[in-house]
Amino acid sequence: MIALATAMLASCGSNKTSQDDATQPPFQFQVDQFNDLKVLRYQIPGFDSLTLKQKELVYYLSQAALCGRDIVFDQNYKYNLAVRRTCEAIYKGYKGDRTSADFANFTTYLKRVWFSNGIHHHYSNDKFFPEITPEYFAGLMAATEGVEFPLMEGETLEQFKARISQVIFDPTVAPKRLDQTEGVDMVAASACNLYEGVTQKEVEDFYAAMRKPGDTEPISYGLNSRVVKENGQIVEKKWTVNGLYGQALQKVVYWLQKAISVAEDETQRSGLEKLVEYYNTGDLKTWDDYNVLWVQDTSMVDYVNGFIEVYGDPLGMKAGWEAVVDFKDLEATRRATTISANAQWFEDHSPIDPRFKKETVKGVSAKVITVAQLGGDCYPTTPIGINLPNANWIRAQHGSKSVTMENITYAYNQASMGSGFLEEFAWSPEEIELAKQYGPLADNLHTDLHECLGHGSGKLLPGVSTDALRNYHSPIEETRADLFALYYLADPKMVELGLVTGENEYKAEYNSYIRYGMMTQLTRIEPGKNIEQAHMRNRALIAHWAYEKGKANNVIERKSREGKTYFVINDYAKLRELFGELLIEIQRITSEGDFNAARQMVETYGVKVDHDLHREVLERYAKLNLAPYGGFMNPMLVPVFEGDKIVDVKVDYPADYMEQMMNYSTNYSFLPTYN
Ligand code: ZN
């Protein structure tokens, strides 16, 4: 499972060092923007403090991560590689006017194809189109020289041109990568390249026959294959070193073998060996064995590599190829560990009714990581957290790894700070300064308190069922965890534990929380709509409740300047008291399973949108011209050789998105165009 980025994100104070150095020019986080997409960069703080062997390991795993790039293009749609290679050929060899608006629009299309790993939008799954005519595109192909177009076997150049043009321009060809509309044959209607010539019913029957009733350790059926019909028979074509996608997987395995030679310990070594065995055989029992080893692998350097998430399959079985290389963020992990280690103190001192407190409470410790390279389905759009493996029985018996990617969230946060968003919605220069200086750490601590303690705190009264709050369970549960975090962020205990220096951190968090809950999260809602999503409901609930209850004392003030609305906190101490009060009530609702009170609370404070304010916020947001979706370029890891021995690995931060994509297409492209 993965956690996706939302608008306002947590990030880490520990990452600040690299660009706080006054002698360095500030690091540029956003490097490109087109259509509804922005391209960002992330840094790899702490890379230099890895040992040489660890750096070498990161380098080999990163090479393995890059070698599978073509796979995900082909998985997403059978002609994605053809479109990509055609456009890249034009980009390289077009001899006509390269300065025209049309050519710029063509280039934008190519950038979008790279960004989405194909011709369908990475988020909506709908096919997108270039803002040029088919005639102009034909002209581009005609005036392209010195490069080859990816013709199919037996196809003439003219036939190829007609076909590729139809693939790109015809809205009836492959309109959706994924179609999960009820009642349609989802296999036939989805353009993804995971099934060929079979119906949904045939696929479902095929796998139903495989499953063993009562199997407590089931393999992930269908995870690593395309299902096709051959001579009237339904068969799986496995993605293995000697099967489908073999040309790319051989390279992945080549680099994994190098990684094995510098593995950190025996557990990691045997995990990597199992992974290689799995790529060789495609055996899903081996995949499970590998995952058990991977869960046990707690080395400094870690990775994800394989066919893992099934979001791209309408039937939720077949996995996209993805890769991440990372290492522990020791400082941030220490922060989360400190909080977890003091779980009992926090529980004992919580303002909630003693009847609802846990006698013994254990904090959950999440690992915080620094990403060093992204590949496959995680590039360029990446999750901000990962929780793996996906097989439920492995999670139950052997545990799982839950990680947050702090350098990624940090980069998102930094990019948004340079975007004018904060300046638009914050009331004063002081508020902006506080957010810039203390916001990142405060956000992280909020997340730590929410995840490590908040959800695990408190207990239900005997006889109260966990689903007593029904559809209000999620927003109430998130409200509870958030309030726990907000309340404790301002506690002197945080200073005592060395997690904050004083009051600035919690003030920065309170400002941003109220701003977000009252106003800025409305940027993610369409005009006229109310709030649906659980996390958004929870934030609106807390902010609106506190605003209303504090009105008599002017705790939070609604101000207006030049027709723009702002929410300003006048009394932080009183606001903390209000958060404590609301926590008491939300815990009571949870512990007693008081459905009516939950409904009342959510419907009154968490759902409704002030439509005038909403319109104003959307107008202010639109003027900032921000792209809603972000993706990342990779840093480049460059080995330094003495003879054939690696003596160091340097990190480069290229800033040219097109150059990186062209580089990958030249140096990390191993699959034939048609697979
Ligand atoms: Zn939560």
Side-chain angles (χ1 to χ4, degrees):
M1 278 165 281
I2 57 167
L4 290 169
T6 53
M8 301 282 279
L9 279 158
S11 65
C12 174
S14 64
N15 284 323
K16 277 168 84 174
T17 43
S18 43
Q19 71 273 5
D20 282 358
D21 183 346
T23 60
Q24 298 276 327
F27 187 82
Q28 188 194 350
F29 285 90
Q30 180 169 337
V31 291
D32 206 347
Q33 183 170 331
F34 42 92
N35 202 265
D36 58 352
L37 311 171
K38 58 182 174 240
V39 179
L40 312 176
R41 300 192 297 171
Y42 61 94
Q43 297 165 295
I44 319 180
F47 185 80
D48 288 340
S49 49
L50 296 178
T51 66
L52 173 59
K53 200 174 155 197
Q54 287 167 338
K55 287 183 186 175
E56 213 176 325
L57 178 58
V58 169
Y59 171 69
Y60 294 142
L61 290 168
S62 295
Q63 292 295 307
L66 297 178
C67 288
R69 176 169 174 259
D70 284 351
I71 296 175
V72 72
F73 275 86
D74 195 73
Q75 287 183 312
N76 284 346
Y77 175 51
K78 62 180 172 181
Y79 296 143
N80 274 340
L81 285 171
V83 172
R84 192 190 86 196
R85 284 174 178 161
T86 302
C87 293
E88 286 168 353
I90 294 170
Y91 184 70
K92 274 191 266 186
Y94 179 58
K95 299 293 178 231
D97 180 8
R98 297 176 72 96
T99 61
S100 72
D102 273 340
F103 193 76
N105 287 339
F106 159 76
T107 307
T108 298
Y109 178 69
L110 176 55
K111 286 184 184 183
R112 294 183 73 189
V113 170
W114 284 327
F115 194 97
S116 293
N117 293 313
I119 64 169
H120 300 91
H121 192 278
H122 75 285
Y123 192 79
S124 76
N125 298 317
D126 292 333
K127 182 172 172 177
F128 55 82
F129 301 91
E131 290 179 13
I132 51 174
T133 62
E135 293 72 30
Y136 177 76
F137 188 73
L140 287 176
M141 288 194 286
T144 291
E145 294 167 19
V147 285
E148 279 186 21
F149 288 124
L151 273 58
M152 264 182 169
E153 220 179 282
E155 196 176 36
T156 68
L157 183 60
E158 287 319 303
Q159 285 167 337
F160 162 78
K161 285 180 176 176
R163 179 173 60 83
I164 206 74
S165 182
Q166 197 182 24
V167 166
I168 293 173
F169 291 98
D170 188 337
T172 65
V173 173
K176 279 173 176 293
R177 180 162 70 89
L178 207 61
D179 190 344
Q180 289 174 297
T181 315
E182 227 178 294
V184 306
D185 184 323
M186 297 189 284
V187 165
S190 301
C192 58
N193 193 18
L194 308 170
Y195 307 95
E196 186 75 54
V198 287
T199 66
Q200 182 178 340
K201 174 84 172 52
E202 284 172 329
V203 175
E204 282 165 353
D205 292 348
F206 178 74
Y207 284 108
M210 257 185 221
R211 291 198 172 86
K212 305 185 196 97
D215 187 355
T216 52
E217 298 182 1
I219 56 165
S220 302
Y221 290 99
L223 188 77
N224 62 340
S225 62
R226 184 190 297 164
V227 172
V228 302
K229 209 180 262 180
E230 268 179 3
N231 308 321
Q233 292 282 3
I234 295 174
V235 292
E236 281 186 321
K237 283 191 159 179
K238 291 226 174 186
W239 303 322
T240 66
V241 162
N242 297 307
L244 210 48
Y245 303 146
Q247 302 91 333
L249 292 174
Q250 281 160 25
K251 300 287 179 185
V252 172
V253 162
Y254 170 85
W255 290 107
L256 289 178
Q257 257 148 357
K258 294 250 183 202
I260 289 169
S261 73
V262 289
E264 291 195 72
D265 59 24
E266 209 31 58
T267 312
Q268 186 170 59
R269 191 187 330 275
S270 36
L272 285 163
E273 281 165 355
K274 254 313 166 219
L275 181 58
V276 168
E277 184 189 330
Y278 159 71
Y279 276 134
N280 280 320
T281 62
D283 182 69
L284 287 169
K285 175 71 176 67
T286 308
W287 172 244
D288 283 349
D289 294 344
Y290 156 71
N291 274 293
V292 171
L293 288 165
W294 180 79
V295 167
Q296 290 159 359
D297 177 4
T298 56
S299 320
M300 179 75 180
V301 175
D302 204 359
Y303 65 96
V304 172
N305 190 303
F307 299 99
I308 294 171
E309 301 291 356
V310 295
Y311 307 114
D313 175 7
L315 304 185
M317 281 187 296
K318 311 207 165 286
W321 190 86
E322 67 174 59
V324 175
V325 186
D326 61 82
F327 55 90
K328 267 184 216 164
D329 179 337
L330 292 176
E331 190 182 325
T333 301
R334 203 174 301 128
R335 191 190 67 214
T337 311
T338 302
I339 287 174
S340 288
N342 288 277
Q344 194 64 51
W345 186 93
F346 285 101
E347 186 74 356
D348 294 345
H349 292 78
S350 166
I352 63 173
D353 188 322
R355 293 184 302 135
F356 308 143
K357 286 187 186 181
K358 270 196 184 128
E359 291 76 25
T360 42
V361 60
K362 226 173 145 263
V364 182
S365 194
K367 188 172 83 162
V368 183
I369 60 168
T370 301
V371 172
Q373 203 82 169
L374 302 163
D377 216 8
C378 293
Y379 172 86
T381 55
T382 172
I384 56 163
I386 293 184
N387 193 331
L388 290 174
N390 283 332
N392 279 323
W393 73 264
I394 299 180
R395 299 171 70 84
Q397 288 181 29
H398 303 277
S400 58
K401 281 188 201 170
S402 175
V403 300
T404 52
M405 305 165 144
E406 281 210 354
N407 57 331
I408 297 292
T409 55
Y410 181 75
Y412 267 124
N413 212 315
Q414 288 299 308
S416 110
M417 281 193 187
S419 71
F421 188 80
L422 176 64
E423 286 76 3
E424 177 60 40
F425 292 101
W427 170 252
S428 63
E430 293 74 32
E431 197 179 320
I432 293 165
E433 197 41 42
L434 211 55
K436 287 192 167 165
Q437 274 222 30
Y438 299 96
L441 175 61
D443 263 0
N444 275 324
L445 285 167
H446 180 275
T447 306
D448 292 340
L449 287 163
H450 176 117
E451 300 291 350
C452 303
L453 302 182
H455 282 304
S457 152
K459 66 175 182 193
L460 302 183
L461 288 185
V464 173
S465 124
T466 47
D467 57 7
L469 302 181
R470 304 205 291 262
N471 53 321
Y472 297 107
H473 170 81
S474 292
I476 290 289
E477 178 56 21
E478 294 308 324
T479 299
R480 204 173 65 87
D482 258 2
L483 285 166
F484 193 98
L486 289 166
Y487 180 79
Y488 275 119
L489 208 47
D491 200 283
K493 185 74 177 177
M494 298 296 283
V495 183
E496 192 191 303
L497 291 174
L499 295 165
V500 299
T501 52
E503 298 193 327
N504 289 324
E505 291 83 357
Y506 95 80
K507 286 181 176 172
E509 182 64 15
Y510 281 18
N511 287 339
S512 90
Y513 200 93
I514 295 300
R515 206 164 52 227
Y516 193 77
M518 295 303 286
M519 269 199 309
T520 55
Q521 72 167 348
L522 296 174
T523 57
R524 299 167 62 203
I525 295 177
E526 285 174 43
K529 294 263 169 71
N530 279 326
I531 304 174
E532 301 278 354
Q533 207 264 345
H535 287 88
M536 293 177 76
R537 285 186 164 188
N538 124 52
R539 287 176 174 248
L541 191 166
I542 294 174
H544 284 91
W545 188 93
Y547 174 67
E548 185 157 313
K549 299 295 168 185
K551 250 183 186 163
N553 298 312
N554 209 17
V555 176
I556 302 167
E557 189 177 349
R558 181 177 173 145
K559 293 191 182 188
S560 179
R561 184 171 57 207
E562 292 162 13
K564 292 178 179 179
T565 306
Y566 301 87
F567 289 89
V568 185
I569 300 169
N570 290 322
D571 190 338
Y572 290 92
K574 187 82 186 112
L575 182 55
R576 186 193 181 211
E577 275 176 39
L578 288 172
F579 287 150
E581 256 177 62
L582 184 56
L583 177 58
I584 293 169
E585 173 60 4
I586 295 289
Q587 183 62 54
R588 183 200 67 75
I589 291 173
T590 305
S591 293
E592 295 179 352
D594 188 341
F595 174 79
N596 284 328
R599 180 178 57 193
Q600 187 69 22
M601 190 63 91
V602 175
E603 294 293 343
T604 309
Y605 299 103
V607 175
K608 278 176 249 145
V609 172
D610 172 340
H611 294 297
D612 291 331
L613 180 61
H614 190 193
R615 200 173 312 118
E616 178 200 316
V617 167
L618 288 179
E619 276 169 22
R620 288 163 70 183
Y621 183 68
K623 282 193 190 132
L624 296 172
N625 191 27
L626 302 177
Y629 303 104
F632 285 90
M633 288 180 64
N634 272 321
M636 197 153 89
L637 302 175
V638 188
V640 181
F641 286 95
E642 257 171 31
D644 55 2
K645 209 169 143 279
I646 293 180
V647 294
D648 198 7
V649 179
K650 300 269 182 217
V651 184
D652 252 13
Y653 294 104
D656 189 326
Y657 169 68
M658 296 199 73
E659 199 175 290
Q660 176 156 89
M661 287 296 185
M662 287 300 278
N663 168 16
Y664 285 177
S665 292
T666 307
N667 298 311
Y668 296 94
S669 184
F670 305 107
L671 291 188
T673 304
Y674 307 100
N675 294 277

